[in-house]
Amino acid sequence: MTALPIHGAPAPARRRAWVPEVLRPVPDGATRPKPRLAYAVIAISGVVVIALAQLLLSIAVTQGAYEIDGYETSRATLSREQQKLSEDLDRVQSPQYLAKNAEALGMVPNTNPVFLRLSDGAVLGQPASAGAAAAASAALVPNALIDGVPLVTEQQAGETAPGGGQGAAVGAPAAEAAVPPPPPASESLPTPTTH
Amino acid sequence: MRRILAAGVLLVLLVGVFVVRLVDIQVVRAAALNEQADEVRSTEPIPVFGTRGDIVDRNGTVLADSVMRYDVALSPKNAKKGPVAREEPDPADPSKKIRVEVPLEQTAAELGEVVGLTGDQVLGIITAALAENPDSDFEYVAKTIDVDTYEKVRALDIPWVVQYPHPSRSYPNGAVAGNLLGFVDFDGAPGAGLELGEDECLASENGEVTFIPSLEDWVEIPGTEVVHKQAKDGGTLKLTIDSDLQWEVQRIAEAQRLALGAEWATVTVMEAKTGKLLAVADVPTVDPNAPSETAEADRGSRTFTAPFEPGSTFKAVTAASVIDDGKANPLSQVMAGYSYDAPNGANFRDSFYHDDMPYTLTGALIDSSNTATAMFGEQMSDQVRFEYMQKFGFGAVSEVGFPAEESGDLNGGPEEWDNQTKYTTMFGQGLTTTAIQIASAYQTIANGGVRMPVQLVESCTDAEGEVTETKQEGSRVISEKAADETSQMLEQVYTKGWLKDQWNIPGYRVAAKTGTAQVPDGNGGYRKEYLVSVSGFAPADDPEFVVSVSYMNAVKMNSSAASAPVFQQVMSQVLKKYRTIPSGAPAPDLPATW
């Protein structure tokens, strides 16, 4: 092999020559570059910035908590208000209330169905006038929710009363207005002037 | 070298200890430690109320909805401690506020006025509670007050008064469909009717949360809320009922009930083509807002729960079966006397005296003759007749499955019927049916012989919006021809029967049959009261609506003339409301005698 003669002879001499190099002392500290102050400043200020940011964030979040709480409270108030109003609405749109009002205004049901066909003007069914006033319906299909809700006739009285005068005057007009004026039965419907 | 090794080992050990500790705290004991921490810092579990589902009618009108009510409680111990301080405008200078001491008597009077008690009553509650327990810290003053009152109590700002939310139920339309809806009790548990029967759809579940509050003002610290249990809202139950019609039907039924002094009455309105119930009136009626104001027996729906012997309305069923079985047609003839001695020994009479009459099947129905009907009915075997009854829906609860619904009683069947019962079942005595079954049988005749399942619930829409519809197939009971012929005969009853002037609806063809049935006394005999009824449908040329009316023990008029005006008014209202076009031609004539 070609490698053997080359390794054989010069090896000892080389080893001797290398020893002082290998054991050379560590280079003096003065020659190493000094750590820069900037790094420390960056690191420390980084920590401070992070701490500060966290503090600010948590302040913001806490402040937000009060804001949320405020909104929650007003949401609860508003939803109570909404419930109150929708209950009022349910009350006044119940059939009992509508029927009571219709009766208070003097309306009676007609049980005789008649239709007018628009296509040819034909009257389908046999027209008949409504019978005498039916019995008051309020007691027949009770509704505990509308107890004490004023009828439309009473409300009109209530609205007009304060205009005339306060206090003692309120009672009298309310009693008068509760009975609606009878409609002119024999007169024909008012005719609008058209051109 | 050794030192390095020692330092390394030490380091590994140290890190190992920390790792073990970390895993122990963060994984192994995490749950226990969290709980411990929460106990110290968190609030008590706070209920989050799930909303019980609404019940709406076919047009979406709300019949039952959930509302929030409040319970007011006070602390007797703290109330007795002395006057409370309050800020009030200074009488001398209204822009400034001064602190005034309000004595207990005044606070109690103010609180009482708001919740509807006297001041003395409120003081009485406090004294009574303290007498029982000097440390008493909790006593209710008022329960389920509405939002208005809640806000008034809040405005009083009394330190020893607390208010708790109390989910509750409101029925905006009062007694409209009250007997169907049922009600829920004070604790929100369903008590009757659909509230009970359809609870699976309506029920909600309350959830639970905790959070960590600030100690100062009880504001939630963001991100600390823990949901222990998710609240679940109930589904919306949509009925086939039309609330406007239901109101009108109840009004008519109750007015007549009072006029007649009847014990109770039911009126059912059903769509002839679908079997959907448009109105089910039971009077006396319960207002679910105040169920205790109605007698307990009157709080349910007798339409489903009170079986009775139907009487002559059942003759239409016998006639339809006989025709479908091919044993007779509307013009078939019998010679019927006032009394009939049947071949098997049974004996019965008509309700009015008459000489021997040459009745057609049509005539038997017009005059409602028991003897003539029996002579037709006996032409088919009892077993076949029994099977027809079952196909018409008798003897089994309807598809509605109303809570406590009764099936009626066919008394077993032909093998168990005695000789008398074999005949009386032909004209509706000796068996019981519910009002809903009678309506369903007339629906079958009106719908060309196809019985549609009775339907009260249209659909259930759960909180996520998923709709479950009630869908069922109809079943053919009798042929279309048999149904049409029965319908034509019932038209003759309407135009020629003894009530023809009382139930006339001008312009429409109507098919109807009356019934005046004796009421069994439960001991094999009969009471002297009657159940009077009318069932029918219109327009007879293309049936759209079935109306069935029953009055129990109408003291002032014990005949079906009592229920006829109700049938007339209800049917007119139905035809008017649904804009049904009046029939063009009158009903074709069929001879009653030969």
Side-chain angles (χ1 to χ4, degrees), chain B residues 183-424:
Chain B
F183 40 84
V184 298
D185 69 9
F186 181 74
D187 297 318
L194 291 166
E195 291 273 23
L196 181 64
E198 300 292 330
D199 191 44
E200 203 181 324
C201 172
L202 296 167
S204 60
E205 269 177 51
N206 289 347
E208 244 177 29
V209 296
T210 55
F211 60 85
I212 300 176
S214 80
L215 207 56
E216 180 85 353
D217 40 22
W218 211 251
V219 169
E220 180 190 329
I221 295 174
T224 59
E225 187 186 84
V226 181
V227 179
H228 295 275
K229 198 173 144 214
Q230 195 70 42
K232 200 174 133 276
D233 288 346
T236 302
L237 188 72
K238 189 173 183 179
L239 305 184
T240 60
I241 297 291
D242 184 315
S243 62
D244 284 349
L245 182 69
Q246 174 80 24
W247 174 80
E248 179 69 12
V249 172
Q250 279 183 226
R251 188 187 69 76
I252 294 168
E254 178 72 354
Q256 181 75 344
R257 187 188 74 85
L258 294 175
L260 298 172
E263 235 171 82
W264 52 262
T266 70
V267 181
T268 309
V269 183
M270 191 188 259
E271 278 184 356
K273 292 185 162 70
T274 60
K276 289 179 183 176
L277 293 163
L278 290 172
V280 179
D282 296 276
V283 288
T285 311
V286 64
D287 180 352
N289 292 305
S292 55
E293 282 171 21
T294 305
E296 196 162 353
D298 293 333
R299 290 181 204 161
S301 177
R302 288 195 170 94
T303 307
F304 295 97
T305 61
F308 51 82
E309 299 203 3
S312 306
T313 47
F314 201 78
K315 285 173 185 156
V317 174
T318 305
S321 310
V322 172
I323 294 176
D324 188 60
D325 201 32
K327 298 291 194 295
N329 63 55
L331 304 179
S332 301
Q333 303 164 349
V334 291
M335 183 60 81
Y338 164 60
S339 171
Y340 183 51
D341 291 303
N344 72 358
N347 170 276
F348 46 89
R349 293 189 304 273
D350 271 346
S351 59
F352 60 101
Y353 180 78
H354 60 86
D355 296 323
D356 285 3
M357 286 282 283
Y359 277 125
T360 60
L361 181 53
T362 312
L365 290 177
I366 294 173
D367 283 353
S368 199
S369 163
N370 294 341
T371 56
T373 308
M375 287 169 147
F376 285 107
E378 68 185 359
Q379 294 176 27
M380 62 197 304
S381 80
D382 291 331
Q383 183 58 38
V384 174
R385 201 157 51 82
F386 177 68
E387 281 163 15
Y388 272 114
M389 288 181 197
Q390 288 181 314
K391 281 202 278 180
F392 269 108
F394 295 107
V397 293
S398 75
E399 293 77 3
V400 172
F402 200 79
E405 181 170 347
E406 289 278 346
S407 61
D409 191 358
L410 299 182
N411 287 324
E415 299 84 32
E416 291 173 44
W417 290 346
D418 60 26
N419 287 341
Q420 189 77 6
T421 307
K422 278 178 183 164
Y423 275 90
T424 56

Side-chain angles (χ1 to χ4, degrees), chain A residues 130-151:
Chain A
S137 64
L140 300 175
V141 189
N143 187 350
L145 297 181
I146 61 166
D147 292 348
V149 181
L151 294 178

Side-chain angles (χ1 to χ4, degrees), chain B residues 534-572:
Chain B
V534 175
S535 288
F537 47 87
D541 40 335
D542 181 20
E544 293 280 355
F545 306 104
V546 178
V547 172
S548 180
V549 180
S550 315
Y551 274 78
M552 173 59 99
N553 190 17
V555 177
K556 293 181 188 154
M557 187 192 278
N558 240 332
S559 76
S560 39
S563 43
V566 174
F567 177 83
Q568 194 268 347
Q569 288 175 44
V570 170
M571 190 58 101
S572 311

Side-chain angles (χ1 to χ4, degrees), chain A residues 61-62 65-66 69 77 80-81 83-84 87 90 94-96 99 109-113 115 124-126 134-135 137 140-145, chain B residues 67-70 147-148 150-151 170-176 217 219-220 222 247 250-251 254-255 258 287 289 506 508 572 576 579-580 582:
Chain A
V61 165
T62 314
Y66 283 88
D69 194 61
T77 315
R80 276 203 298 275
E81 186 70 22
Q83 188 193 324
K84 205 163 70 183
E87 277 186 58
D90 285 343
S94 71
Q96 288 93 335
N110 186 347
T111 55
N112 189 37
F115 298 93
L124 307 172
Q126 294 164 17
S137 64
L140 300 175
V141 189
N143 187 350
L145 297 181
Chain B
V67 290
M68 194 54 90
R69 293 284 179 263
Y70 300 88
V147 179
D148 258 335
Y150 168 84
E151 281 173 350
S170 167
Y171 303 87
N173 287 358
V176 175
D217 40 22
V219 169
E220 180 190 329
W247 174 80
Q250 279 183 226
R251 188 187 69 76
E254 178 72 354
L258 294 175
D287 180 352
N289 292 305
Y508 289 95
S572 311
K576 183 169 66 176
R579 306 284 187 268
T580 314

